[in-house]
Amino acid sequence: MIYKSKPLVKRTVRGRGEYNDASSPDGNNVIFNTYRFSGWKLGMGKLENGVVSDVQKWTDRSIYEYEARYSPDGSRVAYQEFNWGTRDVDIFIADKNGKNAGHFVKSADGDRTPHWTSDGKSIVFTSGRENGYSIYIKSITRREAKKLTTESSNDFATSTSKNTNKIAYLSDAGGEINLYTMNIDGSNKRKLTANLDSVKFTMNGYEDSGYWAMKTSCPPDGKQIVFNIPYKRDMGLFIVKSDSRGLKQITDNSDTDMSPFWTY
């Protein structure tokens, strides 16, 4: 089944989309990437009746901002900043109103796509700090990050379950992009898209620079995972049950479909 969609908010800068949206736990606000504030920034708007309105610049910082995600209690937001001067990509945490931003984790090779664990005590993220992308977890209160994936593949596009101790992610193990899950401690890794041998989820020109465009998202009830991957020269959205059954393509068009997010 191919699902119809409608825009929550229309772009305001020609040639620049708006993406990486995430809703607040109470469902009242949406935070997303936008170019309407001179460069890639985070905008926040009110969500009502399927429409986002009253969009405001979320922080007063000059650095490019991406990939915002609310903490489970809605009090804080984790996001990544890109510094044009140093070329660093680091993860920050700020209050829900965009104030008091501070470093959460920093490395020489980029830390990306932060997602809170369900208890709000740790953040799962992707990092390129060891010759390729791997997945890490770091407590809010501790300095050291723990590496969860040690394979030679690129593992990325993390998301966390809102009610179970599971992580969803994508991996290019074997030369094709597939969806996996694992426990919050890195154990019990499982491929959910093993029956797609004929589809060939190869990078197709998305090597390295295209990893940022692929995402996963776990739903509140933990039953299905939505993700996007390169498919037939375009980015398409797919959905699959957490037990690997019922894989469906939910968008099929000539456009790029990206940054899926399950609302609370």
Side-chain angles (χ1 to χ4, degrees):
M1 177 183 295
I2 304 300
Y3 294 83
K4 294 182 179 180
S5 60
K6 63 178 182 179
L8 293 177
V9 60
K10 294 183 179 180
R11 64 187 174 94
T12 57
V13 179
R14 184 175 179 83
R16 304 286 187 178
E18 294 181 318
Y19 60 101
N20 282 339
D21 53 310
S23 64
S24 59
D26 61 13
N28 292 332
N29 296 291
V30 170
I31 190 168
F32 58 96
N33 280 118
T34 179
Y35 214 81
R36 64 178 75 191
F37 304 115
S38 300
W40 287 116
K41 304 294 182 183
L42 291 170
M44 179 181 288
K46 296 178 181 179
L47 177 60
E48 188 175 10
N49 298 322
V51 176
V52 176
S53 61
D54 191 26
V55 177
Q56 305 291 325
K57 188 173 182 288
W58 183 61
T59 74
D60 57 4
R61 298 169 67 82
S62 60
I63 307 299
Y64 275 25
E65 304 161 337
Y66 303 88
E67 298 281 357
R69 293 292 183 265
Y70 284 92
S71 62
D73 66 2
S75 66
R76 293 178 291 178
V77 173
Y79 68 102
Q80 68 188 49
E81 287 192 357
F82 174 69
N83 189 314
W84 277 102
T86 64
R87 312 297 290 183
D88 288 340
V89 182
D90 302 323
I91 294 175
F92 283 69
I93 295 178
D95 298 337
K96 66 179 181 180
N97 59 5
K99 305 298 183 183
N100 301 314
H103 259 111
F104 171 69
V105 66
K106 177 181 177 64
S107 70
D109 295 297
D111 301 310
R112 308 167 187 271
T113 57
H115 278 258
W116 300 80
T117 53
S118 58
D119 61 8
K121 295 181 179 180
S122 300
I123 288 177
V124 176
F125 62 97
T126 301
S127 179
R129 63 183 68 186
E130 293 185 18
N131 299 318
Y133 291 112
S134 297
I135 298 170
Y136 293 77
I137 187 170
K138 181 179 178 296
S139 167
I140 298 298
T141 58
R142 296 179 181 177
R143 295 186 62 183
E144 297 300 320
K146 177 185 177 182
K147 189 176 183 180
L148 298 180
T149 55
T150 58
E151 294 76 15
S152 59
S153 56
N154 287 293
D155 305 310
F156 58 101
T158 55
S159 64
T160 52
S161 172
K162 298 175 179 64
N163 65 353
T164 63
N165 290 321
K166 291 287 186 180
I167 299 169
Y169 65 100
L170 298 176
S171 176
D172 67 358
E176 299 176 352
I177 304 292
N178 276 286
L179 176 70
Y180 291 75
T181 59
M182 62 179 167
N183 294 336
I184 206 75
D185 62 0
S187 63
N188 194 27
K189 295 180 176 67
R190 182 183 183 187
K191 183 191 290 186
L192 299 189
T193 50
N195 60 333
L196 291 174
D197 293 339
S198 62
V199 177
K200 301 296 183 185
F201 289 164
T202 59
M203 289 304 291
N204 289 335
Y206 290 93
E207 196 74 40
D208 190 34
S209 62
Y211 283 101
W212 68 271
M214 286 174 269
K215 299 291 187 298
T216 67
S217 183
C218 298
D221 62 11
K223 293 182 179 180
Q224 293 179 304
I225 300 169
V226 63
F227 61 100
N228 72 311
I229 50 171
Y231 180 63
K232 294 182 179 179
R233 298 179 180 271
D234 294 300
M235 283 283 189
L237 297 186
F238 292 78
I239 195 169
V240 66
K241 294 181 179 179
S242 56
D243 62 2
S244 79
R245 295 182 297 118
L247 178 71
K248 296 178 182 179
Q249 183 181 359
I250 59 175
T251 64
D252 184 13
N253 52 60
S254 60
D255 298 317
T256 297
D257 302 314
M258 54 189 285
S259 62
F261 179 80
W262 280 102
T263 58
Y264 284 87

